[in-house]
Amino acid sequence: MNIEYLRRELSPSEKPGLDITDPRLVDIATLAQNGEYMAAAVAVEGVFEEGIYDVRLMGFFLYGLFLEDGVRGLKEVFSGLSFFLETNWNYTGPEKKREKHGQVGLGWFFNQLLKKLQHEESSKGGIWQQWLQETHSDDAGDALEAATDLRRVMSQVLEDAAEPLLDGLLKISDWLRAFQRLVYTEEAVAEEAPEEAEVSEEEKQEKVAAPGGAGPRAPSGDGLLVEGSVHLELLLKKLKIFEQLMEKEMYPRAALVADDIMQTIENFDPRLYFPKLFSRFFMLLALRSEDVMQFEEMKESPEWQAMREFFKVDPDAFVDF
């Protein structure tokens, strides 16, 4: 995939973009619908190669660029899109409802990108490990700066149509910020350890409990293991760093880390740290929301208060009451 297609300076065209009857519009969209994202991106690149640029296809091309280079390549993707919008927006097809089509096409890219980032974070598979190994904290920082510039450009170029896109890009930036802190912490730990420490028996057990680098896990009430998110992984690393600093009597640094950890505790949101723990709860609530929420008005009743106290003292008996 050649990102330089985003950095071309286009010339005015009598009728930019693909004609509505051009079969490539449907063919490329079908590839993406079927999950053949790289094939769709390569097909769009072929259209760009002909000098035809259509915002309805742009999201597929951008996503292909991301799939090739991962998180470390996001800076170039965001900055390339900024350049394209600033330089070539008026020369991009289609002429009619261009802003609306841009909102849909770019919105697909941001939504798909965020889903991919969150999925790989949750699965802790090979792609996630590759991102951690190949991405420097500076790469994530550069991507954040490029995202900030892209938000400015989209606001100027797309105006009102940019609003949902800005929201999507903001969520991606939040994810990147957490990822940057995680990578930075891993880099700091690597610098602190000149030699590989011996693996303790406890650490060996943790690896057995989470095979394949499945990510941080915490015990649930039944002694089971609950998988955490990148935010939990970062918190665990901070706790480890605090212990190392205390052992080395590096108290000023330890105080800074302790303050950061205390802020995390004060603002602790379990949904952020243990998303999989709550996934079934929210799924069932969404499926039966009308059945459950119809009792909202009972919250202040004596019966509701009594049942609430009963549930607090004996949850198991509450089920069969």
Side-chain angles (χ1 to χ4, degrees):
M1 301 289 299
N2 188 358
I3 198 168
E4 291 305 312
Y5 283 113
L6 295 178
R7 303 188 183 280
R8 282 182 172 180
E9 292 193 25
L10 304 183
S11 301
S13 173
E14 189 173 314
K15 191 176 181 182
L18 292 175
D19 190 85
I20 190 65
T21 60
D22 195 308
R24 286 176 290 185
L25 279 173
V26 175
D27 292 344
I28 293 172
T30 301
L31 286 172
Q33 258 185 349
N34 294 336
E36 299 179 56
Y37 301 118
M38 282 305 300
V42 170
V44 175
E45 188 174 44
V47 177
F48 287 175
E49 192 173 1
E50 296 178 25
I52 302 171
Y53 282 77
D54 195 306
V55 73
R56 291 170 291 187
L57 304 178
M58 183 61 69
F60 306 133
F61 181 71
L62 295 169
Y63 192 59
L65 291 172
F66 162 71
L67 290 178
E68 269 200 341
D69 293 327
V71 176
R72 66 176 179 174
L74 280 177
K75 182 257 182 181
E76 292 299 323
V77 174
F78 292 156
S79 62
L81 179 57
S82 292
F83 177 88
F84 186 86
L85 291 175
E86 281 190 307
T87 309
N88 296 315
W89 179 248
N90 292 328
Y91 309 135
T92 304
E95 279 187 306
K96 292 183 178 179
K97 299 182 179 179
R98 183 185 292 133
E99 285 75 16
K100 185 63 178 177
H101 288 298
Q103 185 186 81
V104 173
L106 297 179
W108 179 91
F109 167 62
F110 291 134
N111 290 335
Q112 193 65 34
L113 173 58
L114 183 61
K115 281 168 56 179
K116 179 68 172 177
L117 295 173
Q118 292 173 336
H119 170 74
E120 297 303 336
E121 174 195 337
S122 176
S123 66
K124 298 292 191 297
I127 293 177
W128 174 254
Q129 300 303 325
Q130 184 178 355
W131 288 352
L132 288 178
Q133 292 169 9
E134 295 183 352
T135 310
H136 193 276
S137 57
D138 288 344
D139 296 328
D142 291 342
L144 281 166
E145 290 183 13
T148 299
D149 188 54
L150 178 56
R151 286 200 298 271
R152 174 189 61 81
V153 172
M154 288 195 302
S155 296
Q156 292 176 348
V157 175
L158 298 174
E159 298 179 341
D160 292 342
E163 188 171 342
L165 303 179
L166 298 177
D167 182 61
L169 188 53
L170 189 60
K171 291 176 181 176
I172 292 168
S173 296
D174 288 341
W175 187 96
L176 275 171
R177 229 169 258 113
F179 183 79
Q180 181 190 30
R181 289 195 293 267
L182 174 61
V183 174
Y184 180 80
T185 306
E186 288 199 340
E187 291 165 356
V189 170
E191 288 177 7
E192 287 285 342
E195 296 180 5
E196 185 175 350
E198 290 187 11
V199 180
S200 67
E201 192 62 33
E202 184 179 349
E203 289 173 325
K204 289 178 182 177
Q205 291 175 2
E206 288 178 355
K207 287 187 177 181
V208 172
R217 304 200 175 200
S220 71
D222 297 323
L224 302 175
L225 291 173
V226 179
E227 186 172 334
S229 68
V230 64
H231 301 279
L232 177 63
E233 192 168 348
L234 178 59
L235 176 58
L236 293 175
K237 288 187 178 295
K238 288 179 179 178
L239 291 168
K240 183 177 180 181
I241 287 176
F242 177 73
E243 292 176 9
Q244 291 174 340
L245 293 173
M246 291 296 287
E247 289 173 4
K248 295 180 179 181
E249 299 183 359
M250 302 173 71
Y251 298 123
R253 294 191 187 185
L256 187 148
V257 175
D259 181 66
D260 186 277
I261 292 172
M262 289 303 297
Q263 288 184 33
T264 299
I265 293 172
E266 289 170 7
N267 300 288
F268 193 83
D269 182 350
R271 293 168 299 181
L272 191 63
Y273 289 82
F274 303 102
K276 286 195 173 182
L277 180 64
F278 297 95
S279 61
R280 182 163 176 79
F281 164 73
F282 284 113
M283 181 193 72
L284 293 173
L285 187 61
L287 289 173
R288 294 287 184 268
S289 59
E290 290 186 7
D291 296 332
V292 174
M293 301 310 289
Q294 63 178 310
F295 301 101
E296 193 75 13
E297 297 178 357
M298 292 181 58
K299 283 187 176 181
E300 302 303 321
S301 68
E303 181 185 0
W304 182 282
Q305 299 298 328
M307 294 291 283
R308 173 183 286 170
E309 296 305 316
F310 179 32
F311 174 65
K312 286 180 181 178
V313 298
D314 196 343
D316 293 325
F318 181 84
V319 176
D320 299 319
F321 177 68

